[in-house]
Amino acid sequence: MLDDVNFIRDENGLDHDGGETTARAVEGPPDESQILDAYSRAVIGAVDLVGPAVVHIQVAGAAAGGESDRDRQSPGGPSRGGSGSGVVVAPDGLILTNSHVVHDAGAISISTQDGRRLPARLLGDDPDTDLALIRVDAAVTLPAAKLGDSRQLKVGQLVVAIGNPLGFECTVTAGVVSGLGRSLRARSGRLIDDVIQTDASLNPGNSGGPLVTSAGEVVGINTAVIMGAQGICFAVAGNTARFVLGHLIRHGRVRRSGIGIAGQHAPILRRVARFHGLDQESGVRVAGLEPGGPAVRAGLEVGDILVAIDGKAVGGVDDLVRMLTEDRVGRPTELAILRRTELKRLSVVPMERPQRS
């Protein structure tokens, strides 16, 4: 009988049952201090790797768009300047930041963590993604950060937002990826796609700074916070930044195509959609035409509803803008339009769209 067995524990914590010895597993709650230490080490490691590459950007000029509104506006007076953050992406002084920080700036300077203040110039900016590239106007070698693959991010993953609002040391906030594939309206009116949502809050002056993984890779450029909505911040994805960076280095801008129309969202009558086999409820109504533009040459008319480009459905203006990419410039493209109740197909040759402020 089990009751007749006498268990004796020795000084080593082992139970004896008459000769055979078995180790007794002792389980307890996880050590919270160890978990917090691991979290802290991850954040500290990321900051040690990327922090030296984060710079403070000071801009001057009447049209400066930096983030520090208190610095930019004087009561009853003209704009004086603004500031933000940026991240060095090449040791010779290439720095990624936000377009709204440096757009139309009259003069730009950067401050590094080691106290250097250096002049810089704008190489190019892209208001449609709120990204810009500046270069230090001096023979320098700066610590540079590595751009990571933002496609590898997972919801719930630890991320660190780093900025340099004061010019001598970085500020850090940590959080997790709250959402992926978000869209955010740029100041140009265009939707920025593939935006990262995070609860790593942005301090004043941190716009243009990097969003970093625990491995020290830049996976986003911090761009916006929704005021009044605590804990909702956004960063332009690192892969978008990589794409824009290449274009800005080569061309000083990002080339996109246009067809020369002013468009507005328009519903499609259900019976008309069923008759023509359209799997959509809306399209883009042509509200205006650029004189002599591609749409005029193709035969579009005011009132036409654009429903597809090269066989892909266009449900609204954002779809249209998203589809008019650089590779369509100068290439014949098929448009499907509804003219009253008739479905027509036209060929248009998009042109390069002028960059909007």
Side-chain angles (χ1 to χ4, degrees), residues 97 102-105 108 120-125 132-135 137:
T97 185
V102 296
H103 186 71
D104 284 343
I108 304 172
R121 58 187 168 89
L122 180 65
L123 288 185
D125 76 320
L133 183 66
I134 64 175
R135 179 186 286 280
D137 267 339

Side-chain angles (χ1 to χ4, degrees), residues 105 142 202 322 334:
L142 299 176
L202 299 185
R322 191 178 295 118
E334 183 186 77

Side-chain angles (χ1 to χ4, degrees), residues 5-218:
V5 179
N6 184 25
F7 288 92
I8 303 173
R9 172 170 292 181
D10 66 14
E11 65 274 11
N12 295 317
L14 300 179
D15 291 332
H16 299 268
D17 57 354
E20 294 187 6
T21 304
T22 57
R24 179 177 173 179
V26 179
E27 295 184 0
D31 189 338
E32 292 186 5
S33 64
Q34 292 181 357
I35 295 174
L36 290 174
D37 283 347
Y39 178 85
S40 296
R41 285 194 297 271
V43 175
I44 292 169
V47 174
D48 286 344
L49 285 171
V50 182
V54 180
V55 300
H56 173 70
I57 299 174
Q58 187 73 35
V59 299
E67 187 180 9
S68 298
D69 290 341
R70 292 187 300 273
D71 295 336
R72 190 167 67 244
Q73 299 291 340
S74 57
S79 294
R80 294 184 297 160
S83 65
S85 299
V87 58
V88 180
V89 293
D92 60 351
L94 283 179
I95 299 170
L96 263 178
T97 185
N98 286 148
S99 172
H100 76 260
V101 172
V102 296
H103 186 71
D104 284 343
I108 304 172
S109 63
I110 67 111
S111 299
T112 62
Q113 283 195 44
D114 58 9
R116 285 181 288 176
R117 186 178 177 91
L118 302 166
R121 58 187 168 89
L122 180 65
L123 288 185
D125 76 320
D126 183 41
D128 286 350
T129 56
D130 196 23
L131 292 172
L133 183 66
I134 64 175
R135 179 186 286 280
V136 173
D137 267 339
V140 294
T141 300
L142 299 176
K146 176 184 176 182
L147 286 177
D149 185 358
S150 57
R151 291 175 300 181
Q152 301 302 316
L153 281 176
K154 305 292 184 184
V155 173
Q157 183 173 340
L158 171 67
V159 284
V160 181
I162 307 177
N164 191 334
L166 302 176
F168 54 86
E169 64 179 12
C170 62
T171 62
V172 177
T173 55
V176 298
V177 175
S178 306
L180 295 168
R182 300 287 197 255
S183 294
L184 184 69
R185 187 75 61 183
R187 294 192 178 194
S188 68
R190 186 182 186 272
L191 277 182
I192 309 173
D193 293 320
D194 198 25
V195 171
I196 302 165
Q197 179 183 333
T198 173
D199 66 353
S201 59
L202 299 185
N203 294 323
N206 280 11
S207 277
L211 187 70
V212 182
T213 66
S214 58
E217 294 185 340
V218 176

Side-chain angles (χ1 to χ4, degrees), residues 4 83 128 157 200 205 227 269 343:
D4 296 329
S83 65
D128 286 350
Q157 183 173 340
M227 302 304 293
L269 293 174
L343 182 65

Side-chain angles (χ1 to χ4, degrees), residues 268-278 338 341-343:
I268 300 173
L269 293 174
R270 188 174 301 175
R271 60 182 176 83
V272 174
R274 282 202 304 265
F275 180 80
H276 293 294
L278 300 176
L338 287 172
T341 59
E342 181 183 1
L343 182 65

